[in-house]
């Protein structure tokens, strides 16, 4: 059904006079009369009773009037929504993040985004890096924060944050009071690692760092989240190497000690699908992330 003809019908139904309706629509009367006749032919029902001066709605016309007003209102809403989305003033933004992003400025990124796009709904999903890449492939997220050595294939992005690893030790550990330690001092400790299948880059990097100072780490436990790593250490189940951001985790019974001989770093990337449909909302989020990245770098 042609929305233009429905609009003509709705105006005529309100005015009940061809001349007034035509003026309101900025038309002459013949095109309006033709459009109404075509609409009646399409529907297969007479919509108006006509006399020399006025028109009135038939029962079929009364029914169509209600439906036409609803359809036209929905069409206007859809048009407004699409326009708002294109300008970053509406719609939704779906963000994937690794849990420790809570300590890497994610709340500030979200706050800045909400200021720039106050009418856009934002949906946060905690996903590990591999899960985020899969979610991009299924068009389930628009922006992500991942760990790794670079931007995943098929995505665009930038390095959001870079930080050193530190030793994570139980508070009663023999080296807990040291200001700085050599990684080699942990040769005889049992390690808690981030699971290889969740983050192969981190797993490989930590093993390589240990091998570089002369020992193969005794990996006794593997977990899926950095906060689980720290919690296991706090319960004296082992030691670990973690990104320095986790010193902000406020978990008791654990200490973080800088390393003197390990140069590996944790890299966090802000990534997105260049073929995504989030429009200006995505651009606003990217700007918020870049601004926060500069703040983090200046600390």
């Amino acid at each position: 059904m042609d929305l233009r003809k429905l609009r003509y019908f709705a105006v005529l139904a309100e005015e009940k006079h061809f001349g007034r309706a035509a003026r309101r629509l900025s038309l002459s009367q013949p095109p309006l009369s033709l459009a109404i006749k075509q609409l009646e032919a399409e529907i297969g029902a007479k919509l108006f009773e006509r006399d020399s001066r006025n028109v009135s709605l038939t029962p079929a016309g009364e029914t169509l009037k209600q439906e036409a007003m609803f359809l036209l209102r929905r069409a206007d809403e859809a048009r407004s929504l699409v326009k708002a989305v294109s300008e970053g003033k509406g719609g939704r933004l779906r963000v994937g993040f690794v849990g420790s992003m809570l300590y890497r400025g994610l709340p500030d990124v979200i706050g800045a985004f909400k200021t720039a796009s106050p009418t856009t709904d934002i949906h946060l999903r905690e996903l590990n890096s591999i899960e985020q890449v899969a979610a991009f492939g299924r068009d389930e997220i628009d922006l992500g924060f991942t760990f790794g050595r670079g931007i995943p294939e098929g995505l665009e992005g930038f390095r959001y944050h870079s930080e050193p690893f530190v030793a994570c030790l139980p508070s009663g550990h023999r080296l807990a009071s040291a200001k700085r330690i050599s990684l080699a001092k942990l040769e005889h400790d049992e390690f808690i690692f981030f699971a290889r299948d969740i983050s192969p880059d981190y797993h490989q990097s930590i093993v390589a760092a240990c091998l570089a100072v002369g020992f193969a780490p005794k990996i006794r436990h593997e977990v899926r989240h950095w906060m689980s790593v720290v919690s296991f250490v706090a319960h004296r189940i082992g030691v670990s190497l973690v990104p320095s951001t986790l010193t902000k985790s406020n978990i008791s019974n654990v200490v973080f000690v800088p390393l003197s001989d390990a140069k590996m770093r944790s890299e966090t990337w802000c990534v997105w699908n260049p073929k995504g449909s989030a429009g200006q909302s995505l651009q606003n989020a990217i700007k918020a992330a870049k601004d926060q990245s500069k703040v983090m770098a200046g600390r």
Side-chain angles (χ1 to χ4, degrees), residues 60-274:
E62 289 285 359
T63 300
L64 181 61
K65 180 181 177 182
Q66 301 302 317
E67 297 299 320
M69 298 303 291
F70 172 78
L71 291 172
L72 291 170
R73 184 170 59 253
R74 291 293 296 125
D76 288 340
E77 289 172 355
R79 187 180 299 108
S80 296
L81 176 60
V82 171
K83 185 175 185 295
V85 169
S86 71
E87 296 174 350
K89 298 178 181 178
R92 68 178 180 183
L93 183 78
R94 304 162 298 174
V95 180
F97 69 100
V98 289
S100 55
M101 275 300 298
L102 292 174
Y103 307 109
R104 292 184 177 87
L106 180 61
D108 294 320
V109 173
I110 300 306
F113 172 77
K114 287 183 175 179
T115 298
S117 302
T119 62
T120 300
D121 290 331
I122 186 163
H123 300 267
L124 301 175
R125 289 185 63 188
E126 183 178 359
L127 302 167
N128 64 49
S129 299
I130 292 176
E131 289 170 339
Q132 286 185 56
V133 172
F136 275 115
R138 296 189 297 267
D139 190 30
E140 293 177 351
I141 58 175
D142 305 302
L143 186 74
F145 292 90
T146 64
F147 293 143
R149 298 176 182 176
I151 300 170
E153 184 177 356
L155 302 178
E156 292 184 0
F158 65 93
R159 183 186 286 106
Y160 173 81
H161 188 55
S162 178
E163 60 194 289
F165 276 80
V166 296
C168 180
L169 310 173
S171 56
H173 191 275
R174 66 186 186 282
L175 300 172
S177 61
K179 293 185 178 180
R180 186 176 295 271
I181 65 171
S182 165
L183 177 55
K185 294 286 188 179
L186 300 177
E187 178 179 1
H188 301 296
D189 286 270
E190 294 186 348
F191 276 78
I192 301 161
F193 262 44
F194 209 86
R196 185 197 301 268
D197 61 328
I198 299 301
S199 185
D201 283 346
Y202 270 152
H203 196 283
Q204 293 166 11
S205 294
I206 295 174
V207 169
C210 293
L211 292 175
V213 296
F215 74 95
K218 299 174 183 177
I219 305 172
R220 293 292 182 261
H221 312 284
E222 295 190 9
V223 297
R224 294 176 57 88
H225 302 283
W226 280 120
M227 296 307 296
S228 298
V229 172
V230 178
S231 295
F232 269 51
V233 172
H235 284 86
R236 304 177 184 276
I237 297 174
V239 303
S240 190
L241 303 181
V242 303
S244 61
T245 289
L246 292 179
T247 60
K248 304 173 185 177
S249 60
N250 294 320
I251 294 179
S252 59
N253 301 317
V254 65
V255 296
F256 302 91
V257 184
L259 297 167
S260 61
D261 54 357
K263 304 302 181 184
M264 62 180 178
R265 298 186 69 83
S266 170
E267 307 282 355
T268 304
W269 300 84
C270 177
V271 297
W272 59 89
N273 184 349

Side-chain angles (χ1 to χ4, degrees), residues 3-21:
L3 286 177
R4 178 182 62 88
K5 293 174 185 174
L6 271 184
R7 197 172 299 278
Y8 289 178
F9 163 82
V11 172
L12 182 57
E14 289 181 357
E15 296 292 344
K16 295 184 174 60
H17 188 281
F18 272 95
R20 290 194 300 269

